[in-house]
């Protein structure tokens, strides 16, 4: 009975974005990563590119230093280290919620298609709880979105290479945001990532040992598997069907998958809190279990909280309050 109820509510909440999720043509998108057209079979070359970058992921996910930070009021902006065909996407944007005491700060990475102010209440609550928060706008979101699009469809799509480039852009910008917090005097740094933001957060934490603690609000092991099986990405699956297998997608997007960076989290001794939803139809529960098992095997310091809700209802009362309370307790203890 309860499962059917949540399924109905989750489907109703998810359906609000369905009219804007257009089935776009499949594309390998290798040229967006290399700057040149493939010389042979595009998918094979993209796999080779990914495997090469995974072998030296620190280099792939480390930005050059930024000297372009601009703080006006509570708005921090800086030039993105990745230049795209969408001019408004080429400047990173964050909103600062600063406490008087400058010792610990948290970077917030929102979910896919989050509204411009969707995480401001969380940031305010963290500030009231004694933790400075810096809320980042993901690439192609809010004011960074192509004006002709109603959602951030360029962030995750059937264009494999563009999806890698977009997520890499988010990782590089997040690391530059941490640089800015470091320069401002914050030495105890953490991250809160939600859904897509959790995948980005796992990559950042796996390559930046300044991150002491990370909260994953909804977490899955493999990026490609989420797109292949999840409710939110049916339109992308439809574009991919018949063009490549799920194993191909998992291999190509392994560079975006949290399970690829478990070893680094263990080596950095980063603490993690995973908050998951038992009725999740976007990040299917077996994908959360898989990353938890990997953390256990990799001796990553972690806690796992499961709530009796779904992917979308985690943002609704009382589950949002439960998730926030657990996150604040965790961050205060670890930072």
């Amino acid at each position: 009975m309860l499962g059917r109820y949540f399924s109905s509510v989750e489907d109703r909440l998810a359906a609000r974005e369905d009219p804007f999720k257009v089935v776009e043509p499949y594309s390998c998108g290798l040229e967006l990563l290399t700057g040149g057209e493939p010389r042979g079979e595009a998918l094979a070359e993209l796999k080779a590119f990914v495997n090469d970058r995974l072998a030296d992921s620190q280099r792939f996910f480390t930005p050059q230093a930024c000297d372009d930070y601009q703080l006006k009021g509570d708005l921090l902006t800086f030039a993105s280290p990745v230049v795209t065909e969408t001019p408004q996407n080429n400047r990173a944007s964050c909103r600062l919620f600063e406490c008087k005491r400058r010792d610990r700060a948290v970077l917030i990475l929102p979910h896919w298609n989050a509204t411009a102010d969707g995480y401001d209440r969380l940031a305010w609550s963290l500030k009231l709880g004694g933790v400075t928060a810096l809320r980042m706008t993901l690439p192609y979101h809010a004011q960074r979105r192509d004006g002709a699009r109603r959602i951030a469809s360029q962030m995750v799509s059937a264009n494999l290479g563009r999806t890698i480039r977009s997520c890499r852009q988010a990782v590089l910008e997040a690391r530059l945001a941490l640089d800015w917090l470091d320069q401002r005097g914050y030495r105890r740094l953490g991250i809160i990532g939600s859904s897509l933001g959790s995948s980005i957060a796992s990559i950042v934490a796996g390559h930046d040992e300044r991150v002491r603690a990370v909260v994953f609000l909804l977490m899955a092991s493999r990026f490609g598997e989420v797109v292949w099986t999840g409710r939110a990405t049916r339109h992308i699956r439809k574009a991919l069907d018949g063009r490549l297998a799920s194993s191909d997608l998992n291999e190509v997007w392994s560079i975006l998958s949290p399970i690829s960076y478990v070893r680094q989290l263990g080596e950095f001794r980063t603490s993690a809190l995973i908050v998951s939803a038992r009725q999740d139809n976007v990040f299917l529960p077996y994908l959360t279990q898989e990353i938890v098992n990997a953390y256990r095997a990799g001796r990553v310091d972690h806690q796992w909280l499961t709530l009796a809700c779904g992917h979308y209802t985690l943002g609704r009362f009382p589950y949002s309050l439960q998730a926030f309370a657990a996150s604040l307790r965790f961050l205060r203890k670890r930072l």
Side-chain angles (χ1 to χ4, degrees), residues 93-112:
S93 176
C94 306
R95 188 179 178 194
L96 178 66
F97 299 77
E98 193 162 41
C99 297
K100 291 183 178 179
R101 49 182 290 186
R102 295 185 182 176
D103 53 356
R104 56 192 178 192
V106 171
L107 178 66
I108 299 176
L109 301 175
H111 65 269
W112 186 34

Side-chain angles (χ1 to χ4, degrees), residues 26-36 38 42 46 158-165:
Y26 161 77
S27 176
C28 194
L30 180 64
E31 71 282 358
L32 298 178
L33 297 169
T34 64
L46 180 57
N159 187 314
L160 307 182
R162 187 175 65 195
T163 300
I164 293 173
R165 185 185 68 174

